[in-house]
Amino acid sequence: MRFDGKRVIITGAGKGIGRELAVRLASEGAEVAGIARTAADLDSLAAEIGGSSHVADLADAEAAREATRAALPADLLVNCAGISILGSVLEARAEDFDKVMAVNARAALIVTQEYAKARIAAGGGGAVVNVSSMSAFFGWADHAAYCASKGALDAMTRVMANELGRHGIRVNCINPTVTMTELAVEAWSAPEKSAPMLARIPMGRFAETDDISGLIAFLLSDEAGMMNGLSIPVDGGLRAS
């Protein structure tokens, strides 16, 4: 029960990694304040683990700020919400680029601002995990906006770690490879698409959501008390191959 008595805000808590993490942390004693775009997803999560639900479209800066303020106070924060709109360098639309950056990078800044201000006012201390992607390190074709947003999130994590670490707030980033959420299972089920990627991963498989949630839980815990400003690949050895 590492998180007994702790309250954690999780953006993107309705589905995928965010939901898996919410269930894991609740099982270890945490109270979860979930932020997501779809009310039905949050309702089903709350029915399973309790906690509070806050519906917001994180592409809207003011909605992101208001939802975070409603979810406070909190001891811990995970910025897990993310979207992808495919488009090559030559064809990516400005409005798609702006939306991906707004959700994947700007929302993480806004949510962290509100969380950190509240923590500092309460005396400091805490931990933030930003969920990035291996796309911060690779230039995947047709992922111009997504790769840019995740690279920005990694860079911003380092600035957050530098500034907020002085207040006892640790900030780290994790960078998963393809993670088998429901959407990813559908997207990567075709062997002709998955085989080339799997051939580059020495472990020979994609990540599962519990691979990711376990690392996040560790980074939030006191066991990771000297880990700050890191971008941690969770890739089965992809970058080593």
Side-chain angles (χ1 to χ4, degrees), residues 38-54:
T38 305
D41 291 338
L42 289 176
D43 289 344
S44 66
L45 178 64
E48 183 176 354
I49 66 169
S52 64
S53 300
H54 308 274

Side-chain angles (χ1 to χ4, degrees), residues 38-180:
T38 305
D41 291 338
L42 289 176
D43 289 344
S44 66
L45 178 64
E48 183 176 354
I49 66 169
S52 64
S53 300
H54 308 274
V55 178
D57 180 356
L58 295 177
D60 181 329
E62 200 51 43
R65 196 174 300 281
E66 290 176 2
T68 307
R69 288 174 176 172
L72 290 168
D75 303 284
L76 306 165
L77 167 65
V78 180
N79 288 304
C80 193
I83 63 169
S84 178
I85 302 175
L86 298 183
S88 69
V89 170
L90 296 177
E91 297 175 351
R93 302 188 306 166
E95 56 267 35
D96 292 340
F97 185 91
D98 289 348
K99 184 172 183 178
V100 172
M101 291 295 292
V103 175
N104 294 2
R106 188 183 69 191
L109 171 64
I110 290 170
V111 174
T112 302
Q113 281 178 335
E114 296 300 324
Y115 162 81
K117 287 176 183 178
R119 292 303 306 160
I120 292 167
V128 179
V129 176
N130 293 325
V131 179
S132 183
S133 166
M134 291 302 294
S135 295
F137 308 132
F138 288 87
W140 308 118
D142 299 322
H143 286 69
Y146 188 74
C147 288
S149 71
K150 293 303 187 179
L153 184 58
D154 278 41
M156 190 166 61
T157 296
R158 292 188 289 273
V159 179
M160 290 175 174
N162 183 11
E163 294 183 0
L164 302 182
R166 303 168 195 275
H167 300 281
I169 302 170
R170 299 181 297 104
V171 187
N172 291 291
C173 190
I174 66 163
N175 302 74
T177 185
V178 174
T179 303
M180 300 311 286

